[in-house]
Amino acid sequence: MKKSLMLVFTLVILWMGDAGAEESDGFHVKERTKRQIPKTVTVTTILEQPFVMMADSGVLEGYCVDLLSELAEALEFNYTLHVVKDGRYGAKDPHGVWNGMVGEIIRKEVDLAVAPLTITAVRENEISFTKPFVQTGIGILLKKETPSEGSYLFGFLNPFSKELWIGIIISYVITSLCLFLVGRLSPCEWAEPSNERNQYTLLNSLWFGMGAFTLQGVEPQPKSASARIIAVIWWLFSITLLAAYIASFASYVTNAKEQTPNIQTFDDLLKQSKISFGTLANSSTFNFFKNSKNPTFRMIYEYMDKRKDEVLVKSFSEGVQRVRESNYAFLGESISQDFVVAKHCDLVRIPEIIAGRGYGIAASLDSPLIRPLSIAILEQFESGNLEYLRQKWWENTCTAEEAHADWVPIQPHTLGGIFLILGIGLALALMVSFIEVVCKSKSKAAQQKKSCCSAFSEEIGQRFGRTENQESLEKVQP
Ligand code: ASP
């Protein structure tokens, strides 16, 4: 017992010693790296909402500005921040010279670039990046479609999908046919086929269905149980459809101003010619399409390369403006697109996002700043501060409109239950009318001392064949 207590005690002492050593090691690394950081660091950046923006007072503000001040506080350095002279992120020109923020770092004009600068292999060859502080991908920014005059003209058809309209027409025809059949079969509707006129002719049956469907008077009135089953089921069906139509129409009218565009994928872009598309010149997005081996992305690159002067924009805000003012789709980084979509309710970003990538802080290859900055970024991430900054700068002001933007016409499966009930009701009515005619044949067979079968076939023959009596009756009563 004594021995084991001693062992535990020794282990605890050893562990505490290790932890202390580790802690002091970490402390020394931090101190050492802090000492290597110059007291004043020059930083370049680029104006892109909401990362870096010029406030009315002329001061820079935004996600990157907040992040930089947090990092400066953590690593105890001062900094001077300026906007990149040529307004570019950084790409190699045809002579192999780097421009933009990347160029400024390579030429050692600045120590750091704190901006939405994408970490890419070609850039990583020339400069160093910290761990990413934001993850993003490439998306398509589009303007919501305003329906044409023509689509307003027939807008009353929009509350239901095409398939649902077809389903309703088919149901109407089938129900009218069933009513016609039941009207002939059921002895309560047509007791004496030889000398009585049938009120449920095909035209009357169609008329009855339409009258009930539009909540108008229903003529002729059904008398038999089977015809009444059809009538009740059809009324239920009509009233449910009407309620769904009115609800959907009201919602459609509210949303008719703007609709989600037809383009949902990068392939869709290539399949149409109405909307031109492009991206930022000298950007990692343009280079992504240039270097891609995927046939769709290659075709997108070839399209943009052929029309360079028309479709490539100089800044993100120019891209957004073109989307809002013309038939233009802007291919760019989804995180920035989400920001503008949250601010401008007339814009949407398609759900498809390609080419996952991250933004990192950049410095020259031999910079002592990279490692401490990477650690500080991870600390910011783990403390939840990056998430806080994200929420602060990506505030959504379009929520109310977005809720409406989800409107879609009613699909058949939404009303599947009512179609099923109609089907069951019609089958039941046909069965009941069949039973009715069988009962009548039975009593007729007993009265006339005939076999049931011959009485039944006589009944059916009279109800579906044209007898001389009927013809003369129709001549008398046109
Ligand atoms: N952040 C990007 C860049 O570094 C801009 C873009 O690719 O759209 O080039």
Side-chain angles (χ1 to χ4, degrees):
M1 179 70 180
K2 227 179 183 184
K3 256 188 187 172
S4 56
L5 261 177
M6 282 289 284
L7 191 69
V8 171
F9 185 68
T10 328
L11 280 174
V12 168
I13 298 277
L14 278 174
W15 175 76
M16 279 173 69
D18 263 6
E22 234 172 60
E23 225 166 69
S24 73
D25 260 9
F27 178 75
H28 286 309
V29 170
K30 241 185 183 174
E31 278 311 297
R32 220 179 314 133
T33 46
K34 263 186 197 169
R35 257 181 271 130
Q36 291 169 347
I37 297 174
K39 276 284 148 255
T40 305
V41 175
T42 49
V43 185
T44 184
T45 191
I46 194 163
L47 290 177
E48 183 177 323
Q49 292 177 333
F51 295 97
V52 181
M53 298 171 288
M54 187 71 82
D56 294 339
S57 56
V59 183
L60 292 176
E61 60 170 20
Y63 180 95
C64 285
V65 181
D66 283 359
L67 177 66
L68 178 60
S69 90
E70 296 279 352
L71 296 176
E73 198 182 308
L75 298 173
E76 293 164 19
F77 65 82
N78 297 321
Y79 60 89
T80 56
L81 180 64
H82 78 261
V83 176
V84 61
K85 282 177 220 111
D86 61 5
R88 293 177 177 175
Y89 288 87
K92 242 188 213 173
D93 70 11
H95 311 290
V97 180
W98 282 87
N99 55 29
M101 291 180 283
V102 180
E104 287 190 357
I105 288 183
I106 293 174
R107 292 189 297 275
K108 301 233 167 152
E109 290 165 15
V110 289
D111 299 312
L112 288 179
V114 181
L117 186 65
T118 311
I119 306 171
T120 63
V122 265
R123 287 174 181 168
E124 188 85 63
N125 256 333
E126 313 285 338
I127 55 175
S128 312
F129 280 99
T130 60
K131 296 268 178 287
F133 58 88
V134 158
Q135 296 289 352
T136 183
I138 299 174
I140 306 176
L141 185 72
L142 293 160
K143 191 163 75 180
K144 284 183 190 163
E145 272 170 14
T146 316
S148 60
E149 291 280 306
S151 55
Y152 272 126
L153 200 61
F154 293 100
F156 71 93
L157 291 174
N158 289 352
F160 289 164
S161 67
K162 215 193 294 151
E163 295 76 16
L164 187 54
W165 280 119
I166 294 172
I168 293 170
I169 293 170
I170 293 174
S171 307
Y172 164 64
V173 173
I174 292 180
T175 309
S176 304
L177 281 178
C178 286
L179 194 62
F180 166 72
L181 262 179
V182 161
R184 296 216 145 203
L185 276 179
S186 172
C188 303
E189 291 297 343
W190 204 20
E192 291 304 328
S194 46
N195 55 24
E196 209 180 81
R197 194 173 150 74
N198 188 328
Q199 60 169 353
Y200 280 112
T201 59
L202 194 55
L203 265 182
N204 277 355
S205 306
L206 287 165
W207 180 243
F208 177 91
M210 194 41 85
F213 193 62
T214 51
L215 300 188
Q216 299 306 307
V218 279
E219 288 284 331
Q221 291 287 346
K223 286 182 265 175
S224 65
S226 45
R228 282 181 181 170
I229 292 174
I230 295 185
V232 168
I233 291 289
W234 183 245
W235 292 340
L236 272 178
F237 180 82
S238 310
I239 204 99
T240 312
L241 280 187
L242 219 65
Y245 179 87
I246 291 169
S248 179
F249 191 65
S251 162
Y252 163 74
V253 170
T254 328
N255 281 277
K257 281 174 257 136
E258 281 161 352
Q259 288 167 3
T260 316
N262 289 332
I263 296 165
Q264 290 296 316
T265 62
F266 284 81
D267 270 323
D268 292 346
L269 260 188
L270 291 170
K271 284 186 205 142
Q272 55 81 50
S273 55
K274 204 175 117 204
I275 298 178
S276 64
F277 54 89
T279 186
L280 257 177
N282 297 299
S283 68
S284 65
T285 305
F286 183 73
N287 276 333
F288 165 79
F289 288 106
K290 186 175 174 183
N291 300 329
S292 178
K293 296 211 163 51
N294 174 310
T296 305
F297 303 155
R298 266 272 7 117
M299 277 156 83
I300 289 181
Y301 166 70
E302 276 155 23
Y303 172 95
M304 294 195 293
D305 197 45
K306 256 190 234 153
R307 302 166 179 79
K308 252 185 199 148
D309 299 333
E310 301 144 47
V311 298
L312 295 187
V313 292
K314 288 197 186 67
S315 67
F316 186 81
S317 46
E318 187 192 329
V320 174
Q321 199 182 339
R322 278 190 72 172
V323 174
R324 297 189 77 191
E325 287 169 6
S326 59
N327 272 340
Y328 180 74
F330 182 55
L331 315 187
E333 282 165 337
S334 56
I335 189 139
S336 309
Q337 295 180 338
D338 287 345
F339 174 80
V340 288
V341 167
K343 293 277 169 247
H344 305 293
C345 306
D346 55 335
L347 298 178
V348 272
R349 174 177 66 70
I350 62 149
E352 189 184 20
I353 293 180
I354 54 162
R357 64 244 318 268
Y359 296 153
I361 295 179
S364 57
L365 282 175
D366 54 358
S367 171
L369 288 159
I370 290 298
R371 199 172 137 72
L373 280 173
S374 277
I375 296 169
I377 286 173
L378 290 176
E379 278 169 0
Q380 292 287 320
F381 177 68
E382 284 160 21
S383 67
N385 199 30
L386 288 188
E387 190 49 42
Y388 162 74
L389 289 182
R390 174 88 194 245
Q391 278 165 10
K392 175 177 166 189
W393 292 103
W394 268 261
E395 197 202 346
N396 194 347
T397 49
C398 260
T399 338
E401 278 91 332
E402 257 176 11
H404 292 301
D406 285 344
W407 180 86
V408 275
I410 299 181
Q411 302 296 321
H413 58 82
T414 317
L415 295 172
I418 195 71
F419 280 95
L420 184 71
I421 292 176
L422 179 70
I424 295 173
L426 294 182
L428 185 73
L430 286 175
M431 262 159 55
V432 172
S433 67
F434 188 72
I435 294 169
E436 283 172 335
V437 80
V438 167
C439 291
K440 166 124 199 239
S441 317
K442 258 190 168 179
S443 65
K444 197 173 170 186
Q447 271 171 20
Q448 298 177 0
K449 307 236 173 343
K450 282 184 193 166
S451 74
C452 264
C453 272
S454 63
F456 179 74
S457 53
E458 201 177 295
E459 272 294 320
I460 296 290
Q462 274 184 337
R463 281 159 201 285
F464 288 100
R466 280 170 75 85
T467 61
E468 273 175 25
N469 276 351
Q470 263 177 270
E471 272 169 18
S472 57
L473 203 74
E474 273 166 25
K475 269 179 208 153
V476 180
Q477 303 171 339

